[in-house]
Amino acid sequence: MSWALRVAGLGVIYGGGCDRCPERTGPAAGAADPGLDAVDASGPGASRVVCDRCGSVVAAWDVSFEVAPGESLGVIGESGSGKSTVLRTIAGDLTPWAGAAWLAALDGGATDLFTLDRAARRRLRAGDLGMVYQDPAEGLDLEISAGGNVIEPLTAAGWRHFVRMRSRAAELLGRTEVPVDRMDDLVHTFSGGMRQRVQIAKALATSPGVVLLDEPTSGLDASVAAGVLDLIRELSEELGLATVVVSHDFQVMHMLARRVLVMHHGRVVEEGLTDQLLEDPQHPYSQRLVAAAR
Amino acid sequence: MDPVLDIRGLRKTFTLHAAGNRKVEALRGVSLRVAAGEHVALAGPSGAGKSSVLKCVYRTYLPSAGAIHLRRAGGTSVDLARLPDHEIAGLRHTEIAYVSQFLRAEPRRTALTVVARAGMRGGMAADLAAQAAAEALGRLRLDRSLWDTHPILLSGGEQQRVNLAAATIAPARLLLLDEPVAALDAANRRAVLDLVTSLPTRGAAVLSVFHDPDILHRVATRVILLHAGQITADGAPADLLATADLR
């Protein structure tokens, strides 16, 4: 398949790591029957992300996937499964321990993102890669205006003409259904749903081909969340975006994702079409996750 | 003529890990063919595996064994049982459509837009698709005042007719219908059945599940009886339905 984003063998280890970390952690480590491990990550199963030899935390290991232009991939799992770690590592917020990632838009897919220096990674975020965080305070400066937030990546991308930047910001805020007459208001005066819309506008500012969404609606009321999900879906379709959306919520997967990866203890335990995963989950963990959501 | 759909030795076994890895055999070697212009209805008692066949073809269920060959528009054949997920996703809506009583229409677009967009996905030009969408909704007796309403505000039966209009505006080569009239009153049921009856004449291959024997009689060109995950009979509706107990 032709991909917009490709990730291979991604691993993230906190605390130095050792050569035994991969085999000493994960869903299968130390368990006679992987089917018996706990769905509740706070239970005894949680220790499986900690290497018993060196004490490092293996947050993600051997994660590989491809996302095509216009396609949406979901990553589902509980808190601590490593799903946000994967997204943040691709976004450049965390440093990988192993693996590689490529954007088709960057040097025709020839350059591994993880080999770029910090400045180059920052430029990417003002270019081919957009990111939407669960907490708007992470993705936005709440003490400047909505317009100012959207203009920021444009400035970073080298836009210099103020009127043009402002009109681009107005266009994006309109597109994400933020009242344009509130463009000059400080973001901290906005509701949660509106802040997420500003974040989406900012993520789209430089017309990236790939947008990463980390629990984009988890902090919102159900009705507000539904509106934001709709907006994301509509924009992705219209702009032909490749999206990766991380969530613990099957409703979000159902709305946004065509294919889904299930993560557990830092590993991908299953991948499939979203409806197949919901109606015919294969892995013991996926079966428990789906049953718990019903 | 080559069939559009050629299923060979299809098996589906569910492994219930939470119940001590208990195995449930839903399909135990099903083989059948559906040609273009043919409407094959699956019949049999509840739990016989009728819906499981449709779901395996659409890949909502992962087949455990066997092959599901789909002859594509260009004449090439693919095995739906083994095709990678992203290729299945690509075939959906264009070459394979699935309509059940449970499907929900997409929010935020008007009923007319939902249907017109389906037409455009099927290769129609925008203006032609809009016109065909209006005709389709009219034929399915959806009140004109509801065309510009978001389907999420419609009743279950109204949504179902929007789904049906979308699935049939530019009919996929293979249509999978799972009880598509279950939520409808008598008048709307007739309108939907008229539409369903017209599909084979438009060149589509239809594989369906209907519970009502009278409907089977009316829409099917052939009926296949299933019992406990296996085929027990295959023939013309009149021959089969006279003798078989479908309950």
Side-chain angles (χ1 to χ4, degrees):
Chain A
M1 102 191 211
S2 77
W3 43 265
L5 168 68
R6 177 171 171 230
V7 174
L10 175 62
V12 181
I13 298 179
Y14 299 119
C18 68
D19 54 0
R20 302 288 296 279
C21 277
E23 66 189 71
R24 308 299 286 187
T25 58
D33 176 1
L36 296 178
D37 73 24
V39 161
D40 179 5
S42 64
S47 65
R48 299 247 187 76
V49 297
V50 179
C51 173
D52 61 0
R53 184 149 168 271
C54 71
S56 300
V57 174
V58 181
W61 193 255
D62 199 21
V63 176
S64 303
F65 58 83
E66 293 178 358
V67 195
E71 193 190 31
S72 54
L73 178 76
V75 184
I76 196 163
E78 296 160 299
S79 310
S81 62
K83 56 193 194 304
S84 293
T85 298
V86 168
L87 214 59
R88 283 160 181 266
T89 308
I90 300 164
D93 297 337
L94 298 172
T95 309
W97 209 84
W102 303 269
L103 283 170
L106 179 71
D107 305 332
T111 302
D112 173 7
L113 306 187
F114 298 156
T115 63
L116 298 176
D117 62 28
R118 282 190 99 72
R121 292 305 308 264
R122 268 199 304 277
R123 278 201 299 279
L124 213 53
R125 289 284 294 279
D128 298 322
L129 189 63
M131 171 88 183
V132 174
Y133 296 89
Q134 174 179 359
D135 181 359
E138 235 183 303
L140 299 173
D141 184 340
L142 303 185
E143 300 311 318
I144 64 172
S145 69
N149 270 289
V150 180
I151 284 173
E152 191 201 298
L154 297 176
T155 316
W159 289 46
R160 289 293 171 263
H161 195 292
F162 182 73
V163 175
R164 254 180 244 153
M165 285 196 283
R166 203 174 146 76
S167 102
R168 171 76 177 150
E171 175 202 333
L172 286 159
L173 290 169
R175 200 61 204 78
T176 54
E177 296 160 11
V178 175
V180 175
D181 59 1
R182 294 206 56 192
M183 178 172 172
D184 297 319
D185 293 356
L186 302 188
V187 175
H188 85 240
T189 66
F190 286 13
S191 68
M194 280 243 282
R195 289 177 189 188
Q196 275 322 46
R197 292 171 192 275
V198 176
Q199 246 207 115
I200 295 165
K202 180 182 174 183
L204 296 175
T206 53
S207 307
V210 176
V211 176
L212 311 174
L213 303 128
D214 188 7
E215 302 273 8
T217 55
S218 296
L220 306 176
D221 291 338
S223 60
V224 178
V228 172
L229 289 176
D230 261 349
L231 175 69
I232 294 169
R233 184 162 79 171
E234 210 167 276
L235 288 169
S236 315
E237 261 182 42
E238 248 179 60
L239 304 173
L241 302 175
T243 57
V244 182
V245 59
V246 156
S247 179
H248 63 277
D249 186 347
F250 278 106
Q251 194 60 38
V252 172
M253 294 298 141
H254 186 68
M255 279 281 292
L256 292 185
R258 201 160 66 169
R259 291 188 297 127
V260 174
L261 307 180
V262 182
M263 282 193 72
H264 184 42
H265 293 325
R267 268 46 167 210
V268 174
V269 295
E270 180 168 354
E271 58 178 295
L273 292 160
T274 307
D275 56 322
Q276 180 252 300
L277 197 94
L278 287 168
E279 293 203 36
D280 187 20
Q282 307 290 307
H283 190 275
Y285 176 75
S286 314
Q287 290 191 356
R288 287 172 175 236
L289 202 61
V290 170
R294 286 213 168 117
Chain B
M1 191 165 104
D2 281 345
V4 171
L5 180 70
D6 186 355
I7 302 178
R8 294 186 189 180
L10 177 61
R11 291 179 170 273
K12 176 58 191 171
T13 305
F14 294 95
T15 305
L16 309 177
H17 292 289
N21 295 333
R22 190 159 70 85
K23 309 258 190 220
V24 176
E25 283 193 298
L27 299 175
R28 301 186 297 159
V30 168
S31 301
L32 63 88
R33 293 169 162 212
V34 188
E38 204 180 12
H39 182 146
V40 175
L42 301 173
S46 295
K50 306 183 294 290
S51 293
S52 292
V53 173
L54 299 193
K55 287 185 175 182
C56 281
V57 173
Y58 200 61
R59 268 279 288 276
T60 298
Y61 288 169
L62 270 184
S64 306
I68 304 172
H69 294 292
L70 174 78
R71 191 162 46 83
R72 301 196 52 185
T76 58
S77 175
V78 287
D79 181 0
L80 300 174
R82 272 171 200 80
L83 215 57
D85 292 331
H86 69 271
E87 289 187 40
I88 294 284
L91 290 177
R92 289 178 171 186
H93 302 301
T94 56
E95 302 208 28
I96 316 171
Y98 178 83
V99 182
S100 81
Q101 57 173 311
F102 299 113
L103 278 187
R104 292 270 155 189
E106 49 191 311
R108 271 170 74 99
R109 299 190 197 284
T110 68
L112 194 65
T113 313
V114 167
V115 180
R117 282 172 60 89
M120 287 161 72
R121 271 201 302 268
M124 291 177 155
D127 51 344
L128 194 70
Q131 196 187 333
E135 279 165 23
L137 289 175
R139 231 182 358 252
L140 288 175
R141 305 176 72 252
L142 191 78
D143 195 300
R144 189 176 283 266
S145 67
L146 299 176
W147 291 9
D148 291 326
T149 307
H150 294 164
I152 204 151
L153 302 173
L154 303 180
S155 74
E158 287 160 353
Q159 287 192 9
Q160 202 173 337
R161 279 177 283 147
V162 173
N163 283 332
L164 273 162
T168 53
I169 180 172
R173 295 169 56 69
L174 177 62
L175 276 153
L176 307 166
L177 308 177
D178 195 347
E179 290 284 353
V181 296
L184 302 178
D185 61 35
N188 286 317
R189 188 175 282 228
R190 271 195 301 279
V192 168
L193 291 177
D194 283 342
L195 173 71
V196 168
T197 312
S198 77
L199 290 170
T201 61
R202 293 160 76 189
V206 183
L207 183 62
S208 73
V209 174
F210 287 98
H211 269 113
D212 185 339
D214 295 337
I215 293 180
L216 285 182
H217 247 298
R218 184 163 160 203
V219 301
T221 56
R222 188 153 60 90
V223 173
I224 290 177
L225 283 182
L226 279 172
H227 183 77
Q230 287 179 313
I231 291 176
T232 53
D234 181 340
D239 300 339
L240 233 56
L241 295 171
T243 54
D245 178 13
L246 300 179
R247 305 286 156 187

